[in-house]
């Protein structure tokens, strides 16, 4: 008995020792990816010493002898802190998630391959000006310098996640940064999904009921909506719709493509005697957040604000001369186009002149973890890439013998949006910042500005030109064989709405309707809610002059004027007195509803 006890004691002791050793070993491996912010590195590719000072929140302040060195250092710190996030954003844009996650991400990879965002990013590198290209390359070199440090110093593969998935990290390139901006544009655009939803409802609801459920924003210039079944013959209700959420899908739900607030006050409306600006971009809640705060001391002056890991630009921020913020403009920059296939050759589609044209096509191979590679055939019509029925719910509105293509301003191989962001960082005045917005392509944004020459709100991004005879005005999927369907290029930047130094001395936007222009010079038929802008107006009008604190107070405001107006009316209708009603009765349900309110 004593011998058995001794052996059990030895076994337990050995297990405990092995567990402690395994824990220490695991901690050592994982802790290797933690950054020592006091460390000094000797790196090639910079012209002189670079100093990175972190504050108590680990926000880096970067000082270098040239702009090249500063962008290099930004790439270095982005990679230090967010390498896994950066590689995931790049893989999503490239359509290469399935190499890590297997078949469950194959639908997302297939979607991204069909959109071909990464190939368009590669093309866009070629059209950047020399200054932008130099910043992109310096940033890429900085990212790659940290990857090299990981390989040389066994630094835990750069992030703990790389112990669970493939540790291979491709070198960063300028196209990767542009591709991430295009991915952001996709996440902030829901007009294709909205078109499909409206078409589905129009197949089963009358026009009055449809306008009640999906109302247009009040204002002139809205024509009657055509019946979708008449617009695209053969479309029938009841087609299946796949509603399961896809892992890592960048497609937003309808109405969830981003909301935001921004406002600015001229110096005469500011207690401190200088212009004020508040910007509150509402992007999705993620861990880590999409934003990364940083300060860059450039030759044109210091800038500080929100960057996105993978992109060498302060997208929302300020310098000592200028402040800038962004809100989603909601521009209708996507159209779903239904293409009729040649019944004798499904590789051809019908043109407006009655003839058929062959799709542009090529094959691509998606590598899938623990499964055979999948070969996809990518096709494009003159209106854009051909999408699958599972994309945007298109299977529910695409008749037999047809396919759907996507027209979208971001599907450009000459995208200079990154150049616009870099020019904005160098701007010294509101006027210079407004000119920088000319280079922005997608996603369309409201650029809010405050500087020494006042305040301004400018819609930046390509506004698609549509034919005045477009049968659905872009609100429904439309037949590609109709000569009035399809984008006709983009309007000149001068057509984009602009507001500079208004008499009130204050500008604001909560994704609300900013202009009332008739189709086709309109921006969209779908705007943000009216309640937020009304509440903002109330807050701004309570003070003659504003301070930093008053703008913060407005950002943190939680009053819902709609609820304040409706709850007393609803409550009065639901109010119930007397003995408790029996479970399952209407009166009991009224009681529960009142408690919830």
């Amino acid at each position: 008995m004593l011998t058995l006890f001794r052996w059990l004691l030895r076994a337990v002791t050995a297990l405990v020792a092995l567990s402690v050793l395994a824990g220490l070993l695991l901690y050592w491996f994982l802790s290797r990816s933690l950054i020592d912010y006091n460390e000094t590195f000797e790196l090639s590719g910079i012209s002189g010493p670079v100093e990175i000072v972190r504050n108590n929140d680990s926000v880096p302040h970067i000082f270098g002898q040239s702009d090249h060195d500063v962008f290099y250092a930004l790439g270095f710190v982005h990679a230090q802190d967010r390498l896994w996030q950066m590689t995931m954003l790049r893989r999503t844009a490239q359509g290469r998630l399935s190499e890590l996650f297997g078949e469950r991400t194959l639908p997302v990879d297939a979607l991204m391959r069909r959109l071909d965002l990464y190939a368009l990013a590669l093309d866009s590198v070629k059209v950047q000006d020399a200054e932008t290209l130099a910043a992109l390359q310096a940033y890429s070199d900085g990212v790659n310098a940290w990857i090299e440090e990981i390989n040389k110093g066994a630094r835990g593969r750069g992030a703990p996640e790389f112990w669970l998935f493939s540790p291979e990290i491709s070198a960063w390139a300028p196209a990767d940064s542009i591709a991430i901006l295009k991915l952001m544009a996709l996440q902030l655009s829901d007009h294709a999904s909205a078109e499909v939803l409206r078409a589905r409802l129009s197949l089963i609801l009358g026009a009055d009921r449809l306008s009640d459920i999906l109302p247009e924003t009040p204002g002139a210039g809205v024509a009657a909506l055509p019946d979708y079944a008449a617009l695209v013959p053969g479309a029938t209700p009841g087609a299946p719709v796949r509603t399961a959420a896809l892992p890592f899908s960048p497609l937003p739900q309808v109405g969830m493509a981003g909301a935001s607030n921004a406002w600015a006050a001229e110096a005469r409306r500011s207690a401190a005697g200088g212009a004020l600006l508040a910007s509150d971009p509402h992007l999705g809640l993620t861990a880590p957040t999409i934003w990364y705060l940083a300060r860059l001391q450039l030759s044109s002056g210091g800038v500080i604000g929100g960057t996105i890991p993978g992109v060498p630009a302060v997208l929302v921020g300020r310098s000592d001369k200028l402040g800038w913020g962004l809100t989603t403009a909601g521009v209708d920059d996507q159209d779903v186009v239904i293409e009729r296939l040649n019944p004798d050759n499904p590789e051809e589609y019908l043109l407006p002149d009655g003839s058929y044209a062959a799709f542009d096509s090529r094959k691509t191979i998606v590598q899938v973890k623990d499964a055979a590679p999948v070969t996809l055939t990518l096709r494009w019509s003159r209106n854009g890439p051909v999408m699958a029925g599972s994309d945007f719910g298109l299977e529910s509105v695409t008749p037999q013998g047809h396919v759907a293509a996507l027209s979208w301003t971001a599907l450009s191989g000459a995208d200079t949006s990154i150049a616009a962001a870099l020019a904005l960082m160098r701007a010294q005045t509101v006027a210079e910042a407004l000119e920088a917005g000319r280079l922005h392509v997608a996603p369309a944004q409201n650029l809010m500005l405050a500087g020494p020459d006042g305040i301004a709100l400018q819609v930046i991004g390509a506004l698609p030109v549509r034919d005045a005879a477009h049968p659905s005005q872009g609100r429904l999927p439309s037949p590609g064989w109709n000569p009035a369907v399809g984008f006709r290029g983009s309007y000149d930047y001068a057509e984009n709405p602009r507001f500079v130094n208004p008499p009130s001395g204050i500008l604001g936007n909560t994704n609300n309707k900013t202009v009332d222009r008739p189709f086709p010079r309109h921006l969209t038929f779908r705007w943000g809610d009216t309640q937020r802008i009304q509440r903002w107006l109330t807050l701004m009008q309570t003070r003659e002059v504003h301070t930093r604190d008053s703008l913060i107070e407005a950002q943190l405001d939680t009053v819902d004027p709609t609820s304040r107006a409706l709850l007393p009316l609803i409550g009065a209708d639901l109010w119930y007195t007397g003995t408790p009603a029996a479970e399952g009765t209407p009166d009991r349900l009224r009681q529960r509803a009142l408690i919830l309110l």
Side-chain angles (χ1 to χ4, degrees), residues 89-270:
L89 289 171
R90 177 172 64 177
R91 280 187 177 274
T92 302
Q94 292 175 328
R96 294 179 54 217
L97 291 170
S98 299
E99 295 175 11
L100 298 182
F101 304 109
E103 293 179 324
R104 63 183 180 139
T105 55
L106 186 56
V108 175
D109 283 347
L111 166 67
M112 300 309 298
R113 297 291 178 100
R114 282 189 285 272
L115 292 174
D116 216 18
L117 295 187
Y118 196 76
L120 294 169
L122 286 168
D123 290 339
S124 295
V125 172
K126 305 169 188 175
V127 302
Q128 306 303 321
D129 59 75
E131 199 165 9
T132 300
L133 193 57
L136 287 168
Q137 189 59 59
Y139 178 86
S140 298
D141 291 344
V143 175
N144 295 330
W146 176 247
I147 295 175
E148 185 177 347
E149 288 296 316
I150 294 170
N151 294 331
K152 289 194 308 184
R155 296 175 180 270
R157 296 184 176 177
E161 293 89 345
F162 287 111
W163 289 103
L164 304 176
F165 301 98
S166 171
E168 297 177 0
I169 308 172
S170 301
W172 201 263
D176 300 339
S177 300
I178 297 174
I180 288 176
L181 282 182
K182 286 185 172 292
L183 180 64
M184 294 298 299
L186 181 62
Q187 295 171 334
L188 294 172
S189 303
D190 69 342
H191 284 279
S193 298
E195 285 185 34
V196 172
L197 176 61
R198 187 177 288 278
R200 286 171 54 200
L201 290 177
S202 75
L203 292 172
I204 58 177
L205 298 176
D208 292 341
R209 187 61 174 148
L210 178 60
S211 63
D212 184 39
I213 293 175
L214 296 178
E216 307 284 5
T217 300
V222 179
L225 190 68
D227 179 67
Y228 183 64
L231 197 63
V232 181
T236 57
V241 179
R242 303 177 197 178
T243 57
L246 297 174
F248 305 109
S249 174
L251 293 183
Q253 296 179 352
V254 176
M256 300 297 289
S260 36
N261 305 313
W263 45 83
E266 284 186 59
R268 60 189 172 90
R269 295 293 302 270
S270 164

Side-chain angles (χ1 to χ4, degrees), residues 186 216 238 248 288 381 411 429 439 451:
L186 181 62
E216 307 284 5
F248 305 109
S381 74
L411 298 176
T429 63
L439 298 171

